[in-house]
Amino acid sequence: MIFFETLHEHALSIDFAMLVVIWMVQIIIYPAFRNIETVNFPEWHAQYCKQIAWFVLPLMVSQILECTTSCFFVGDTCSWVRLVCVLLAWAVTFFHSAPQHRKLTIHGKKTEFIDSLLTGNWFRTFLWTIVFLASYLNY
């Protein structure tokens, strides 16, 4: 129980960290994919995927746990908005972004996959921005 209370106390920080990461990915990282030399892309992309996971996965897991428990224990509108947006962001991550990354891993640097990542990531960026705003309003 203390674990969930700690997560709840730090929800705004977790949501802010996720906001920063997703905007960096959208504005800096994914567009930079276009500038990496085709010959170096497969190795670079594989390394990127492993390294970014160390930052993103703990945030995503913490966020989903906190949102779920917040809906159960608090149950206010902001908690539900956060949970729905986080679940939608996870859906986009696992049904769109992850498959595009797999395609880049298999086929190498392909503009259509990079463009698809950028387009799909706008939806995640919007959702995680809403999550942060709801968290901030709840704070």
Side-chain angles (χ1 to χ4, degrees), residues 42-127:
E43 183 180 325
W44 184 90
H45 182 259
Q47 185 176 358
Y48 161 77
C49 288
K50 287 177 189 170
Q51 290 175 339
I52 196 74
W54 286 103
F55 296 93
V56 174
L57 290 178
L59 289 172
M60 287 178 70
V61 170
S62 297
Q63 199 173 47
I64 195 75
L65 288 173
E66 196 288 321
C67 287
T68 305
T69 57
S70 183
C71 285
F72 181 75
F73 290 111
V74 180
D76 63 352
T77 302
C78 284
S79 297
W80 285 102
V81 166
R82 288 177 62 240
L83 179 61
V84 168
C85 288
V86 167
L87 289 172
L88 287 171
W90 274 53
V92 174
T93 299
F94 292 108
F95 296 115
H96 177 75
S97 300
Q100 295 306 313
H101 279 290
R102 275 192 294 280
K103 290 176 185 177
L104 287 168
T105 298
I106 293 167
H107 302 290
K109 182 180 175 182
K110 299 284 184 194
T111 306
E112 62 266 22
F113 302 142
I114 295 170
D115 291 346
S116 181
L117 268 176
L118 276 162
T119 302
N121 201 57
W122 273 119
F123 191 55
R124 292 192 312 169
T125 303
F126 172 76
L127 289 167

Side-chain angles (χ1 to χ4, degrees), residues 29-50:
I29 297 170
Y30 283 176
F33 281 15
R34 294 179 177 137
N35 300 326
I36 298 163
E37 291 184 33
T38 305
V39 108
N40 298 329
F41 188 84
E43 183 180 325
W44 184 90
H45 182 259
Q47 185 176 358
Y48 161 77
C49 288
K50 287 177 189 170

